[in-house]
């Protein structure tokens, strides 16, 4: 059908007279106009004999079964508690919980043990004397403060009330407590190498 139609169109168009040359002027008679294309440029595409794809029929029972499976999986996930990421710093390794793994104490000679005991007693006496001296100094300061306040109260009641108010210039209070061993002034901390074994958890 398409072949016969193309042949008929070719015969009709071939019988028509060629385009006149007055459109382009007398100097360009040999040049054909672009508005009148020759027969050879006409083409007819082949007919497409295709039809749209038919949708597959979905079984409603199968679809319902898939939905039920998904619901069951969601219920199981809701029942299970979310897994928490463990904190490695707060977990003691099992090898350190072994009671048989104990470090043996160094054996000291009789002279060393006696020297340490005498040194500890001497240190206790020194700290006791220091504590008693501090207590006596505090008692003397409190006694002097009490006498000064009594004399100030006799002189002026307003100055006495102002002296009882707390002094804001005494705060903030900073204090450094005692240590077991004195720090080394010329100690340089070593810059050691380490391997990063931090575990990465993904949820």
């Amino acid at each position: 059908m398409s072949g016969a139609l193309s042949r008929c169109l070719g015969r009709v168009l071939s019988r028509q007279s060629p385009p006149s040359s007055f459109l382009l002027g007398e100097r360009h008679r040999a040049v054909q106009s672009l508005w009148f294309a020759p027969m050879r440029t006409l083409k007819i595409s082949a007919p497409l004999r295709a039809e749209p794809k038919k949708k597959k029929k979905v079984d409603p029972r199968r679809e319902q079964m898939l939905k039920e499976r998904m619901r069951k999986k969601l219920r199981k996930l809701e029942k299970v508690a979310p897994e928490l990421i463990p904190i490695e710093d707060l977990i003691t390794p099992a090898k350190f919980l072994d009671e048989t793994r104990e470090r043996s104490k160094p054996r000291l000679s009789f002279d060393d043990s006696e020297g340490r005991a005498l040194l500890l007693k001497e240190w206790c006496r020194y700290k006791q004397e220091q504590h008693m001296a501090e207590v006596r100094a505090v008692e003397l300061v409190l006694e002097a403060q009490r006498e000064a306040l009594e004399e100030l109260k006799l002189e002026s009641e307003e100055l006495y009330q102002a002296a009882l108010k707390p002094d804001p210039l005494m705060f903030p209070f900073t204090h450094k407590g005692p240590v077991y061993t004195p720090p080394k002034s010329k100690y340089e901390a070593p810059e050691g190498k380490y391997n990063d074994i931090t575990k990465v958890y993904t949820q």
Side-chain angles (χ1 to χ4, degrees), residues 123 127 175-181:
W123 176 254
K127 296 302 292 183
H175 178 70
K176 186 177 181 181
V179 294
Y180 287 105
T181 56

Side-chain angles (χ1 to χ4, degrees), residues 138-156:
V138 171
E139 289 179 352
L140 291 175
V141 171
L142 291 177
E143 184 66 21
Q145 183 184 18
R146 186 180 60 80
E147 293 178 358
L149 289 174
E150 288 180 356
E151 293 293 333
L152 183 62
K153 188 176 182 180
L154 297 175
E155 292 293 333
S156 174

Side-chain angles (χ1 to χ4, degrees), residues 13 33 35-36 44 48 58-59 114 124 133 151-152 159 193:
L13 293 175
S33 176
W35 295 100
F36 299 94
I44 299 175
L48 301 177
V58 180
D59 190 3
E114 287 294 323
C124 291
E151 293 293 333
L152 183 62
L159 295 178
K193 297 181 180 179

Side-chain angles (χ1 to χ4, degrees), residues 9-27:
L9 287 175
R11 292 174 184 175
V12 173
L13 293 175
S14 60
R15 293 176 184 176
Q16 294 179 356
S17 60
S20 59
S21 59
F22 71 90
L23 295 173
L24 299 177
E26 296 179 356
R27 296 182 182 179

Side-chain angles (χ1 to χ4, degrees), residues 82-150:
E83 184 179 358
L84 301 178
I85 299 176
I87 302 175
E88 299 292 341
D89 297 339
L90 302 180
I91 299 176
T92 306
K95 63 180 181 179
F96 297 142
L97 299 177
D98 189 6
E99 296 180 356
T100 60
R101 185 180 179 275
E102 294 181 358
R103 181 180 297 176
S104 60
K105 296 181 180 180
R107 295 182 180 180
L108 299 176
S109 62
F110 177 77
D111 295 337
D112 292 341
S113 60
E114 287 294 323
R116 290 190 178 187
L118 293 175
L119 184 61
L120 182 59
K121 289 181 181 179
E122 189 67 25
W123 176 254
C124 291
R125 292 193 195 97
Y126 170 74
K127 296 302 292 183
Q128 184 181 9
E129 292 175 0
Q130 184 183 11
H131 174 67
M132 296 303 296
E134 291 177 356
V135 170
R136 287 193 296 269
V138 171
E139 289 179 352
L140 291 175
V141 171
L142 291 177
E143 184 66 21
Q145 183 184 18
R146 186 180 60 80
E147 293 178 358
L149 289 174
E150 288 180 356

Side-chain angles (χ1 to χ4, degrees), residues 2 44-49:
S2 59
I44 299 175
S45 60
L48 301 177
R49 302 182 182 276

Side-chain angles (χ1 to χ4, degrees), residues 1-13 39 43-44:
M1 182 70 182
S2 59
L5 181 60
S6 60
R7 285 194 296 272
C8 294
L9 287 175
R11 292 174 184 175
V12 173
L13 293 175
M39 180 57 192
K43 295 182 180 179
I44 299 175

